[in-house]
Amino acid sequence: PLGRYRAFARSFPSLPAAATARPAASPAAAERPAAWPAAGIEPPAARPAAAPATVRVWAVPELLKINPRNGALLEQDNFPDHRRQNGVWDAATATVKLTGARNEFVAFQLAVESPQPLQGLEVRVSRPLFADTRLPQVFGTTGAVQLYREWFVPDDKATGESRPWYPDALVPLEGPFDLPSGDNPVPGQTVQPIFVDVYIPHDAKPGTHSGRLLVRAAGWEKQIELKVEVLPLRLPDKLNFTVDLNCYSGVNAGYDIKLGTPEYRRLEQAYHRVAHLHRSNLDVLGYSHSGTTVADHTPPLEGEGAQTRVRSWADWDAHFGPQLDGSAFADLPRASVPIAAMYLPFFENWPGDFRRSYKFNNYPRAKTEEEYRDIIARHGLEADPIEQAFTQEYQERYSAVVAQFAEHLKQRGWTHSRYLVYFNNKYYYKRPSQG
């Protein structure tokens, strides 16, 4: 579904080139054409004619899904006349009205609809919102309003020409675009929605603030008024409710970037920044069900039992330090606030060896589902309580490393995040059907 997590390319100058190659994930920030003026500055040219009757511009709330073929909504039953009026839009005055608190994002979708092809369409800010406030540095280029082109994907449960398409990824809008789209071809497309994200600054005054969007193509233009009602309250920088984005092993799917390298750390930090920007928390689990661990998540160890020691914290600190001291987020709205929570690497197979240390891991391999059920029942009847089922060396090694983690975090001053120990085991991997 269309979510709150956007590939905010301009805010991540350190993102490696390989990570910016996929338009649906995090496109490289292209240079604006020289003829495209900065937000709020009108070029000294004759005003084009009003939009022809065949072109319609309308808006809907942020969470609805627009069909790019005909402009209908997935939620059409609840919005019978959405082009004329809905919770954010009044077509009679071409005005979008939003309401939010300071330090909050509000948003809507602006749709350009035309049965005839249009080339060189522009949507841009012609009067900035909150120009008299102090914006976070990350919005230094865009201002308080960020524009994204909605990228469509087909419904994988249907086939043929009638297959429905709906928006998924949001690609930062960089200059003119065409309708229908050339790089995201949708059969019979007549509508291109633009997702409009508005950040309300910390110091915005309560009351109504005004801005304007300009929609333009050769020979015509349309002005869209923006009205944002700012409430007399402010969302805190520290999260009181954590939206935890659970993630396994890493964020490098689709990128040829090796885990544990500086290049990968920059990539993952970019994902952390997107989550942090929109008041959520990226949480990467550093191990797998098979018992393997992920680079950087587990520092190298030496010794055995109670004498086990972390040999070096260098890679672990390089990976997690910027998130735990907040320096990775210094230019974002919740400036320098550390991540809300993170998984520590402790699980059944680290720092101890589960297969070698668990006394009841000696059953024969099940060849049938019946044998598997018998083994599970037998284990439940025969196995000792967990504190007796592991070797003493395993228990002492675990305790020693946990204590060193706690001491290290305290020494570094990384005490403002919540640290989670998550036993994500799957006993049924001994099942024949699981391999």
Side-chain angles (χ1 to χ4, degrees):
L2 184 63
R4 296 283 310 180
Y5 308 100
R6 266 73 80 186
F8 199 64
R10 286 193 179 276
S11 68
F12 310 128
S14 61
L15 194 61
T20 63
R22 292 159 55 93
S26 184
E31 290 296 322
R32 288 178 172 172
W36 190 26
I41 303 175
E42 292 288 350
R47 182 175 294 276
T54 56
V55 179
R56 302 181 70 177
V57 181
W58 41 273
V60 294
E62 61 178 316
L63 295 181
L64 305 184
K65 309 294 186 298
I66 300 173
N67 187 323
R69 288 173 153 179
N70 56 22
L73 301 179
L74 180 64
E75 307 85 354
Q76 191 67 44
D77 291 345
N78 297 323
F79 299 87
D81 194 12
H82 63 277
R83 291 175 176 85
R84 184 182 66 84
Q85 194 169 40
N86 55 62
V88 302
W89 172 244
D90 179 21
T93 59
T95 300
V96 173
K97 294 183 179 180
L98 305 170
T99 300
R102 289 171 285 187
N103 198 26
E104 182 180 6
F105 283 92
V106 291
F108 67 97
Q109 300 172 78
L110 186 72
V112 181
E113 182 175 13
S114 174
Q116 303 300 322
L118 295 173
Q119 282 76 44
L121 270 166
E122 290 184 48
V123 177
R124 65 178 183 84
V125 177
S126 57
R127 183 201 297 164
L129 269 165
F130 307 115
D132 58 344
T133 63
R134 289 174 294 130
L135 287 169
Q137 184 181 343
V138 71
F139 301 135
T141 300
T142 65
V145 177
Q146 292 85 53
L147 305 175
Y148 301 87
R149 184 163 60 101
E150 297 186 9
W151 189 274
F152 291 94
V153 295
D155 186 339
D156 60 4
K157 296 179 182 179
T159 59
E161 285 299 312
S162 62
R163 189 181 193 184
W165 292 65
Y166 289 103
D168 182 53
L170 300 180
V171 181
L173 182 60
E174 298 288 347
F177 59 93
D178 296 336
L179 175 64
S181 173
D183 56 356
N184 180 211
V186 176
Q189 182 183 10
T190 64
V191 181
Q192 177 61 62
I194 302 299
F195 196 96
V196 183
D197 216 20
V198 180
Y199 174 70
I200 303 176
H202 285 74
D203 61 343
K205 295 180 180 179
T208 300
H209 296 252
S210 299
R212 184 179 296 136
L213 293 177
L214 175 66
V215 183
R216 179 164 59 189
W220 66 268
E221 70 175 28
K222 177 76 172 180
Q223 300 279 358
I224 305 296
E225 299 296 323
L226 304 181
K227 303 288 185 182
V228 179
E229 181 70 20
V230 177
L231 301 174
L233 58 99
R234 180 182 294 109
L235 297 187
D237 286 343
K238 183 178 179 181
L239 301 179
N240 291 311
F241 184 91
T242 304
V243 177
D244 203 54
L245 305 176
N246 186 52
C247 174
Y248 293 108
S249 299
V251 299
N252 64 324
Y255 305 116
D256 186 19
I257 300 176
K258 185 178 180 181
L259 291 165
T261 62
E263 186 181 24
Y264 173 78
R265 292 169 192 154
R266 289 193 296 271
L267 173 64
E268 186 173 299
Q269 184 168 301
Y271 277 80
H272 274 285
R273 285 169 54 82
V274 172
H276 194 281
L277 181 69
H278 293 285
R279 303 187 68 84
S280 59
N281 186 73
L282 178 65
D283 209 346
V284 181
L285 188 67
Y287 67 85
S288 75
H289 297 150
S290 68
T292 59
T293 60
V294 177
D296 285 354
H297 284 251
T298 53
L301 305 176
E302 57 188 10
E304 296 184 359
Q307 305 306 313
T308 304
R309 293 291 179 269
V310 173
R311 187 169 69 245
S312 172
W313 289 101
D315 290 341
W316 199 90
D317 287 0
H319 188 115
F320 295 102
Q323 298 137 38
L324 295 174
D325 65 16
S327 60
F329 317 118
D331 62 333
L332 302 188
R334 299 186 297 117
S336 301
V337 174
I339 54 174
M342 67 168 288
Y343 293 124
L344 291 180
F346 299 100
F347 75 116
E348 292 85 347
N349 208 48
W350 195 88
D353 186 319
F354 180 87
R355 295 176 177 86
R356 182 168 57 88
S357 304
Y358 186 58
K359 299 176 184 178
F360 296 89
N361 193 33
N362 56 355
Y363 296 106
R365 179 184 295 271
K367 298 179 180 179
T368 66
E369 290 294 300
E370 184 178 5
E371 289 180 9
Y372 164 75
R373 288 193 296 270
D374 288 344
I375 287 174
I376 295 301
R378 182 178 161 193
H379 176 263
L381 292 170
E382 295 179 351
D384 287 339
I386 193 168
E387 66 272 15
Q388 300 172 21
F390 286 90
T391 65
Q392 190 66 24
E393 192 276 338
Y394 177 94
Q395 298 182 51
E396 291 176 350
R397 181 181 179 89
Y398 189 99
S399 298
V401 179
V402 165
Q404 289 169 69
F405 261 79
E407 181 62 25
H408 182 70
L409 296 171
K410 183 178 179 181
Q411 288 180 353
R412 295 303 302 264
W414 297 337
T415 58
H416 300 286
S417 302
R418 180 171 293 178
Y419 298 96
L420 311 176
V421 174
Y422 177 35
F423 293 118
N424 190 30
N425 62 78
K426 295 289 186 290
Y427 69 86
Y428 51 72
Y429 278 171
K430 291 183 179 293
R431 191 179 205 163
S433 61
Q434 296 291 126

